[in-house]
Amino acid sequence: MERSPEEEGAGPEPAGQPPATDTSRDPGSGVPPAGPGAASEALAVLSSFGRRLLVLVPVYLAGAAGLSVGFVLFGLALYLGWRRVRDGKAQSLRAARQLLDDEERITAETLYMSNRELPAWVSFPDVEKVEWLNKIVAQVWPFLGQYMEKLLAETVAPAVRGANPHLQTFTFTRVELGEKPVRIIGVKVHPSQRKDQILLDLNVSYVGDVQIDVEVKKYFCKAGVKGMQLHGVLRVILEPLTGDLPIVGAVSMFFIKRPTLDINWTGMTNLLDIPGLSSLSDTMIMDSIAAFLVLPNRLLVPLVPDLHDVAQLRSPLPRGIIRIHLLAARGLSSKDKYVKGLIEGKSDPYALVRVGTQTFCSRVIDEELNPHWGETYEVIVHEVPGQEIEVEVFDKDPDKDDFLGRMKLDVGKVLQAGVLDDWYPLQGGQGQVHLRLEWLSLLPDAEKLDKVLQWNRGITSRPEPPSAAILVVYLDRAQDLPLKKGNKEPNPMVQLSVQDVTQESKAAYGTNSPVWEEAFRFFLQDPRSQELDVQVKDDSRALTLGALTLPLARLLTASELTLDQWFQLSSSGPNSRLYMKLVMRILYLDSSEIRFPTVPGAQDLDSGSPQTGSSVDMPPRPWQTSPNSHFGTENVLRIHVLEAQDLIAKDRFLGGLVKGKSDPYVKLRVAGQSFRSHVVREDLNPRWNEVFEVIVTSIPGQELEIEVFDKDLDKDDFLGRYKMSLTTVLNSGFLDEWLTLEDVPSGRLHLRLERLTPRPTAAELEEVLQVNSLIQTQKSSELAAALLSVYLEQADNLPLRKGTKPPNSYATLTVGETSHKTKTVSQTSAPIWEENTSFLIRKPHAESLELQVRGEGTGTLGSISLPLSELLHADRLCLDKWFTLTNGQGQVLMRAQLGILVSQHSGVEAHSHSHSSSSLNEEPKASGAAAHITSPVQEVRHRLPHGDSPSEAPIGPLGQVKLTVWYHSDEQKLVSIIHSCRALRQNGRDLPDPYVSLLLLPDKNRGTKRKTSQKKKTLDPEFNERFEWELPLDGSLRRKLDVSVKSNSSFMSRERELLGKVQLDLAEIDLSQGAAQWYDLTDDKDKNGS
């Protein structure tokens, strides 16, 4: 038997004596103490007995309180679940530490096991080991621990104590990073497309024995972390590379995907290991990490001072946008069982689509193994390679959803292909999912916008319409914001809104010159009509420090679609301003990836093939167009949003104690277009009185979707919806109804809908313009007087590229701010387009149709400018012929026809004629029968005098003024339109600078005073300006309208020269007529300044 060295040195024991374990005695007692082994064993027995006794305490308490045994069983189940989670985490930590401690041995033993158990450098040959880096990290680790201890104790703890009065005794009692450092399992270097950039992917694994304990002494609360795992791929970007030391300008770091996290809690935070709370707590921590270290967020460490464009490095522009069309799936597995599994059902599938932190959930298709979703999502791609498209399919169940399969695809494949349309097998299940993936490039080219908008109109997209552009806002800093009450520094934060989407910045505490350095991204459906709304507020959201509204159309005319400047804030201090950089990019799908249908007659001419074009090879050239039967059948739907009643109140104040009202507005969707009314503040019975117009066709199945929302700073609240068949509206011709809003307890909306059918005659144009000016509301844009339909069939004899090659040609048709771009026909000087489009025309006498034929890469091949006044003099308002291109050679065959939009329910005639509410389904009769029909509009035309007819009375010596006075009963407003003056008197050598001043007598205050703009050096000024007074009808009849035509006397003088005046007694005028009349000006010796 072997003996220990201590036993050998002790010598033999005396005979007859028991072996002594310790000969030392306590001098104060005569009894020798028990040995340490016996004491520790007794203590272990006692503690074990005490723990088991504690288990019985809840049972005793439950019995003493008379509670059901179910409470005891629930507590026992909770404890067992907690214990299971704790043991699982401990086992996972032990396994991970063992793997890292003896990686080579474990790798050799599991070499033939699955790839997921191998290090990255074994699985992938382009991933390299960096043991030298791990040795450096291991040596630096203790010093990093010292730094972390100082950081937490000297910086973090004071900040926590100052954040809440209940945490004034918060302290870190223990901070140890442990002996296990972070390990870099492998490094992959990507070949970058840019010369001044290096891309590294670090496979990071941290299985640490970190221990951090905190305590709040006031509440005797202790908590902490003991052990943690973190695994993920960290991308490191070294850019820009410079020619000066340290060569690298900055280092950017971020996780491409969320890393996996597992934490062992101690103290009070042990409760977070309860099943359910465990995953919730880890998710919350991962959300915090993702807020600054997972794409699109990144950590930037500048290495050189005065680094150029730090904001661009911290938040670079996205690489592109992927439009994901989730179309369908097939062959999914059945997960639903009935009668305890005896009857097999189907599944209720839905899909989750993920790219980075962007997640979308499709709708659920009940009882279907071959579902069709037909949904479209747009995702921002920040990094290529690295990011993946992940689609997971689940079966919806009341308890836990069943997994049906998953597919993954690297976004680099979409970038390379441009468009992918395929069925992808589901891993981990059975079946396939059908995706169409489109790569949208970001172009700083505003000229591409019209083509994108035209293409988007043909896309059926839900749940959101397709985007045409993306806006990136770099919020940098602000200066000289106003102080709070008591001259206290504010805690500024910023809310940025585009339409219904609102994003918020972090708060900068205790400063009126905050620095945020954050980036925000918005998808734009039509940047020509959208606005960026910026609100600078205190972090309580109750105090507004400044505001800014920026029309995004400004970016379309800016260089590179970028604004990088200071912006002055309104409702703020005199020197308060905000520095932002706004970048817009057009989302462009390469036309080479768009498959247009083959055009009959379009020829693929090769540069080496002989040119065809003789009368033998080609059919004879047509003299007129041959459009299809649907051309020119469009109507215009005029939507008059009047008012609403009994809307529900959504605003709450003081934490919901005080009930407010709502700030309602209306959204309309029809024929692929969206409209939105203005917001009425604090009103449950709002009145909008706005008119919208849209071109519609008779295609069945279309709907008018109406939604009402309450405008809020974050997310607008839903107030109701209503859907109406467009066929019903078009067939009835006119509807004036109160619509009961759906999906809400109360609320109804008053709409007036009218179908306007274009008429090929100009006889009623002047009356239509007059009626439109009378029913025009202040909140609406100018109403359309005509519809222009254009059919562009083909071109001929276009110039060749470089003298020998036929061009790849397309055409753009523009009226005002509306454009249409045709498809591109490749390699022919005689392209055939056969496309038609329509435009709303507001002033046919002044507008024109602009056509440009362009070649891709060659610029403009020729153009046409067609004044619409030529159509007004053409037979049936139509021109159908070959037009010769100017600024080039060639001709185009085109048909342009105008139709006048005559309203039979304008409301003007309602004061003097009770019009019929019958259907407008009857089409206009032939001209021979029209003379026998007396329609309401014809009655308006009879009432409106033709002021320019030769039978008028002679003009007075001071000239005349033409004006309309009318009472708008729907709005309860007195309306006056100043049209023009003629034959004004000239005093002196210089022509006057006339304007018109209006005053409602007997009131002479500024509240009733109106005046037009001033016209320079003319005796026949044209104004066409509208003025309104909110008065009841009886109040209007007691007034007199004083109309004075005046001119500036001199540049340096405030005195105004009276050219003439007229005074109208409104009681003597039929205010229901709305007739434009010429009035003679009279002299007045009183020359008061205005």
Side-chain angles (χ1 to χ4, degrees):
M1 179 177 177
E2 293 184 20
R3 302 173 61 186
S4 66
E6 290 81 359
E7 292 174 335
E8 291 177 357
E13 296 176 355
Q17 297 288 334
T21 58
D22 190 0
T23 58
S24 62
R25 297 175 183 269
D26 189 348
S29 69
V31 181
S40 60
E41 184 178 352
L43 185 62
V45 172
L46 286 174
S47 62
S48 176
F49 177 75
R51 285 196 300 271
R52 282 160 176 76
L53 193 62
L54 280 175
V55 173
L56 299 176
V57 171
V59 180
Y60 170 77
L61 293 177
L67 299 176
S68 169
V69 71
F71 286 93
V72 179
L73 295 178
F74 174 74
L76 182 61
L78 203 63
Y79 170 76
L80 292 176
W82 172 82
R83 195 71 202 175
R84 181 183 177 186
V85 172
R86 293 281 297 177
D87 293 344
K89 288 188 175 183
Q91 183 179 0
S92 176
L93 277 171
R94 285 195 300 270
R97 286 172 183 165
Q98 184 181 6
L99 176 63
L100 290 179
D101 289 342
D102 198 359
E103 183 181 341
E104 292 184 5
R105 181 180 61 81
I106 298 296
T107 300
E109 291 177 358
T110 60
L111 188 60
Y112 296 103
M113 297 178 69
S114 63
N115 285 340
R116 65 182 179 84
E117 298 183 20
L118 298 178
W121 58 270
V122 175
S123 302
F124 308 99
D126 54 350
V127 178
E128 304 175 17
K129 290 188 65 175
V130 281
E131 283 304 316
W132 60 272
L133 183 57
N134 289 322
K135 293 177 182 178
I136 294 175
V137 173
Q139 189 146 353
V140 172
W141 194 250
F143 300 96
L144 181 61
Q146 297 175 17
Y147 169 74
M148 287 296 297
E149 184 175 1
K150 291 180 182 178
L151 177 67
L152 294 177
E154 299 176 3
T155 304
V156 176
V160 173
R161 288 194 289 266
N164 194 308
H166 298 291
L167 299 177
Q168 291 181 352
T169 57
F170 175 89
T171 183
F172 287 94
T173 59
R174 185 174 186 179
V175 178
E176 293 182 3
L177 289 189
E179 299 179 356
K180 304 294 183 182
V182 174
R183 287 185 59 83
I184 312 299
I185 304 302
V187 174
K188 180 177 181 179
V189 181
H190 294 278
S192 178
Q193 297 179 353
R194 293 170 47 187
K195 299 284 188 179
D196 64 339
Q197 184 187 72
I198 298 176
L199 295 180
L200 305 172
D201 279 348
L202 277 61
N203 197 332
V204 177
S205 181
Y206 176 55
V207 186
D209 50 352
V210 57
Q211 185 162 353
I212 301 176
D213 296 332
V214 300
E215 182 179 5
V216 182
K217 296 181 180 179
K218 181 178 179 180
Y219 300 102
F220 305 101
C221 177
K222 295 183 179 181
V225 174
K226 186 176 182 180
M228 182 174 66
Q229 289 189 69
L230 182 70
H231 307 278
V233 178
L234 182 70
R235 173 156 293 183
V236 179
I237 302 179
L238 309 178
E239 68 170 334
L241 302 181
T242 65
D244 299 318
L245 290 177
I247 305 300
V248 178
V251 179
S252 300
M253 293 176 286
F254 52 88
F255 287 100
I256 295 178
K257 296 184 291 186
R258 284 178 176 239
T260 57
L261 178 70
D262 197 2
I263 298 175
N264 270 1
W265 302 101
T266 63
M268 290 292 292
T269 47
N270 260 322
L271 297 176
L272 296 178
D273 278 335
I274 293 177
L277 288 181
S278 175
S279 59
L280 180 62
S281 62
D282 290 352
T283 301
M284 293 174 64
I285 293 173
M286 278 311 309
D287 288 341
S288 301
I289 295 175
F292 70 94
L293 208 55
V294 177
L295 273 179
N297 307 295
R298 57 186 73 201
L299 178 64
L300 178 70
V301 182
L303 301 182
V304 297
D306 302 326
L307 185 63
H308 179 65
D309 207 354
V310 175
Q312 182 67 23
L313 293 175
R314 183 176 285 108
S315 301
L317 278 174
R319 289 290 305 276
I321 305 296
I322 293 182
R323 184 171 287 155
I324 302 174
H325 299 273
L326 176 66
L327 301 176
R330 65 187 179 191
L332 299 180
S333 58
S334 174
K335 291 291 185 179
D336 294 342
K337 309 291 182 183
Y338 304 101
V339 195
K340 296 185 178 181
L342 296 178
I343 301 177
E344 182 174 344
K346 295 186 178 181
S347 292
D348 308 318
Y350 69 94
L352 289 178
V353 180
R354 293 191 188 93
V355 176
T357 58
Q358 304 165 87
T359 303
F360 304 91
C361 182
S362 76
R363 70 185 194 278
V364 178
I365 307 296
D366 295 326
E367 294 291 326
E368 183 61 65
L369 300 181
N370 301 293
H372 290 266
W373 289 292
E375 298 187 11
T376 303
Y377 314 105
E378 292 170 335
V379 296
I380 301 174
V381 178
H382 297 276
E383 288 294 323
V384 180
Q387 289 192 272
E388 291 180 326
I389 300 171
E390 182 179 2
V391 179
E392 291 181 317
V393 183
F394 293 89
D395 167 39
K396 184 68 176 178
D397 283 328
D399 47 2
K400 183 179 180 181
D401 297 345
D402 297 318
F403 179 72
L404 298 180
R406 171 191 296 114
M407 64 79 60
K408 290 184 179 181
L409 182 70
D410 192 277
V411 297
K413 295 183 179 179
V414 186
L415 171 60
Q416 183 178 4
V419 175
L420 289 177
D421 192 338
D422 204 352
W423 288 89
Y424 296 91
L426 294 174
Q427 305 297 326
Q430 69 180 45
Q432 296 174 309
V433 62
H434 187 191
L435 299 178
R436 176 180 170 86
L437 308 172
E438 300 169 349
W439 180 271
L440 306 178
S441 302
L442 307 185
L443 301 183
D445 185 1
E447 293 184 357
K448 300 289 187 182
L449 179 60
D450 292 332
K451 179 177 181 178
V452 171
L453 291 173
Q454 179 66 25
W455 179 256
N456 286 353
R457 291 190 191 104
I459 297 177
T460 302
S461 172
R462 61 180 181 185
E464 296 293 335
S467 301
I470 185 174
L471 173 68
V472 180
V473 181
Y474 299 101
L475 178 64
D476 189 27
R477 60 191 185 275
Q479 281 186 356
D480 297 328
L481 297 179
L483 302 178
K484 296 195 291 186
K485 290 183 178 179
N487 289 331
K488 293 182 179 179
E489 296 280 356
N491 304 322
M493 52 80 62
V494 179
Q495 292 176 333
L496 301 103
S497 302
V498 174
Q499 208 153 330
D500 302 331
V501 180
T502 299
Q503 301 183 43
E504 291 188 352
S505 74
K506 63 185 179 184
Y509 292 97
T511 176
N512 70 334
S513 297
V515 176
W516 293 287
E517 295 181 341
E518 293 186 62
F520 305 90
R521 300 159 187 89
F522 298 91
F523 283 107
L524 308 175
Q525 275 77 46
D526 188 352
R528 300 175 303 182
S529 58
Q530 293 179 279
E531 294 179 335
L532 172 66
D533 181 64
V534 182
Q535 299 280 335
V536 184
K537 296 191 172 185
D538 190 66
D539 64 340
S540 64
R541 275 68 168 180
L543 175 63
T544 299
L545 305 175
L548 170 68
T549 299
L550 182 70
L552 298 181
R554 280 186 56 186
L555 284 163
L556 296 174
T557 58
S559 175
E560 293 292 312
L561 307 187
T562 301
L563 291 177
D564 189 0
Q565 66 184 64
W566 286 99
F567 294 90
Q568 188 69 33
L569 294 174
S570 61
S571 304
S572 187
N575 299 319
S576 300
R577 55 181 188 163
L578 190 68
Y579 192 86
M580 294 189 298
K581 180 178 181 180
L582 297 99
V583 181
M584 183 188 295
R585 290 294 182 263
I586 308 301
L587 306 184
Y588 186 73
L589 178 62
D590 188 359
S591 60
S592 63
E593 306 297 339
I594 303 175
R595 301 291 182 252
F596 291 107
T598 305
V599 181
Q603 310 231 346
D604 234 358
L605 296 181
D606 187 82
S607 58
S609 63
Q611 292 286 330
T612 60
S614 67
S615 59
V616 177
D617 298 323
M618 299 291 289
R621 194 169 88 157
W623 291 103
Q624 286 188 329
T625 61
S626 53
N628 58 39
S629 59
H630 298 294
F631 174 73
T633 60
E634 300 92 345
N635 294 286
V636 173
L637 180 63
R638 182 171 289 172
I639 308 171
H640 195 166
V641 182
L642 294 166
E643 57 187 323
Q645 289 182 354
D646 301 327
L647 298 180
I648 56 178
K650 286 290 187 177
D651 293 343
R652 298 288 190 273
F653 305 100
L654 299 179
L657 296 178
V658 179
K659 184 176 180 181
K661 295 186 178 181
S662 291
D663 307 319
Y665 67 91
V666 180
K667 287 181 66 174
L668 305 168
R669 293 191 183 93
V670 59
Q673 296 190 48
S674 298
F675 304 95
R676 174 173 164 170
S677 74
H678 69 282
V679 178
V680 178
R681 299 291 180 186
E682 295 291 326
D683 199 340
L684 299 181
N685 300 289
R687 185 175 182 84
W688 292 284
N689 195 29
E690 289 191 57
V691 181
F692 305 97
E693 294 175 319
V694 60
I695 302 172
V696 294
T697 61
S698 57
I699 298 175
Q702 300 182 89
E703 288 185 325
L704 170 61
E705 299 180 18
I706 309 158
E707 293 180 311
V708 185
F709 290 92
D710 167 40
K711 180 64 178 176
D712 282 329
L713 293 175
D714 45 4
K715 183 179 180 181
D716 297 347
D717 296 317
F718 176 73
L719 298 180
R721 68 165 53 90
Y722 193 90
K723 288 187 178 181
M724 179 185 299
S725 171
L726 199 58
T727 304
T728 303
V729 179
L730 296 179
N731 289 340
S732 65
F734 179 76
L735 289 175
D736 188 347
E737 295 183 0
W738 282 92
L739 309 176
T740 301
L741 296 176
E742 299 172 351
D743 301 332
V744 287
S746 67
R748 59 180 192 153
L749 181 67
H750 188 190
L751 281 190
R752 186 178 295 155
L753 308 171
E754 182 179 5
R755 183 202 71 205
L756 304 178
T757 301
R759 299 185 179 184
T761 173
E764 297 171 319
L765 177 58
E766 291 301 324
E767 287 73 38
V768 168
L769 293 172
Q770 180 71 20
V771 169
N772 285 355
S773 67
L774 293 176
I775 65 175
Q776 175 70 44
T777 64
Q778 287 186 323
K779 298 293 185 179
S780 305
S781 58
E782 189 174 356
L783 299 180
L787 179 68
L788 174 65
S789 300
V790 182
Y791 178 74
L792 183 61
E793 183 163 301
Q794 59 179 307
D796 192 19
N797 195 29
L798 296 181
L800 303 179
R801 292 183 296 168
K802 300 180 181 179
T804 58
K805 295 183 178 180
N808 302 326
S809 54
Y810 63 92
T812 58
L813 298 139
T814 305
V815 175
E817 297 180 355
T818 306
S819 294
H820 169 79
K821 182 178 179 181
T822 69
K823 59 180 173 286
T824 301
V825 180
S826 301
Q827 295 186 355
T828 175
S829 60
I832 298 178
W833 292 295
E834 294 182 336
E835 292 191 27
N836 59 275
T837 186
S838 300
F839 302 91
L840 290 174
I841 306 300
R842 291 165 176 81
K843 296 180 179 179
H845 293 294
E847 297 184 70
S848 61
L849 171 66
E850 306 291 336
L851 181 143
Q852 276 196 339
V853 181
R854 303 176 65 89
E856 288 191 343
T858 59
T860 302
L861 303 176
S863 62
I864 295 171
S865 180
L866 176 63
L868 300 186
S869 57
E870 293 187 14
L871 292 175
L872 294 175
H873 297 93
D875 182 35
R876 297 187 61 81
L877 311 186
C878 177
L879 290 176
D880 189 348
K881 63 177 184 176
W882 286 93
F883 293 85
T884 301
L885 296 173
T886 59
N887 304 322
Q889 70 179 57
Q891 304 87 35
V892 293
L893 181 59
M894 180 176 67
R895 177 187 179 100
Q897 67 182 40
L898 204 61
I900 307 302
L901 302 175
V902 180
S903 171
Q904 297 188 353
H905 297 267
S906 64
V908 177
E909 68 279 8
H911 303 290
S912 59
H913 180 77
S914 177
H915 63 74
S916 170
S917 60
S918 62
S919 169
L920 289 185
N921 204 22
E922 300 177 6
E923 295 298 328
K925 303 294 187 297
S927 58
H932 305 287
I933 300 175
T934 306
S935 71
V937 174
Q938 288 172 329
E939 195 166 308
V940 175
R941 184 176 71 244
H942 296 157
R943 292 202 312 265
L944 298 177
H946 298 274
D948 297 327
S949 63
S951 59
E952 290 178 348
I955 301 174
L958 299 183
Q960 291 181 328
V961 59
K962 184 180 182 182
L963 58 93
T964 298
V965 184
W966 178 56
Y967 189 78
H968 200 311
S969 59
D970 287 343
E971 297 187 18
Q972 294 188 347
K973 291 179 181 179
L974 179 67
V975 179
S976 177
I977 303 175
I978 306 299
H979 299 285
S980 59
C981 298
R982 63 182 179 184
L984 295 179
R985 180 178 59 183
Q986 178 177 353
N987 295 329
R989 295 180 302 172
D990 298 329
L991 293 175
D993 300 332
Y995 68 93
V996 180
S997 175
L998 298 96
L999 191 64
L1000 272 184
L1001 301 178
D1003 298 334
K1004 291 189 177 182
N1005 54 32
R1006 287 187 171 270
T1008 65
K1009 191 172 184 179
R1010 308 285 189 270
K1011 70 175 183 178
T1012 68
S1013 58
Q1014 191 174 39
K1015 304 301 178 181
K1016 296 293 185 181
K1017 307 297 182 186
T1018 179
L1019 296 176
D1020 301 291
E1022 293 280 346
F1023 298 104
N1024 292 317
E1025 297 185 33
R1026 176 187 175 116
F1027 303 97
E1028 297 177 350
W1029 294 267
E1030 292 190 4
L1031 291 171
L1033 180 58
D1034 55 350
S1036 301
L1037 295 176
R1038 294 195 297 267
R1039 304 298 181 100
K1040 293 183 179 180
L1041 181 62
D1042 184 85
V1043 183
S1044 301
V1045 183
K1046 300 181 180 182
S1047 174
N1048 284 337
S1049 294
S1050 65
F1051 175 74
M1052 299 298 293
S1053 173
R1054 291 178 57 87
E1055 186 180 356
R1056 305 293 186 258
E1057 178 187 5
L1058 182 65
L1059 302 179
K1061 66 184 302 182
V1062 62
Q1063 195 172 96
L1064 305 178
D1065 189 346
L1066 300 183
E1068 300 176 358
I1069 299 177
D1070 186 359
L1071 296 180
S1072 66
Q1073 290 280 339
Q1077 293 187 23
W1078 287 101
Y1079 295 92
D1080 283 333
L1081 296 173
T1082 60
D1083 199 358
D1084 192 333
K1085 301 301 182 182
D1086 183 17
K1087 298 183 180 181
N1088 296 326
S1090 63

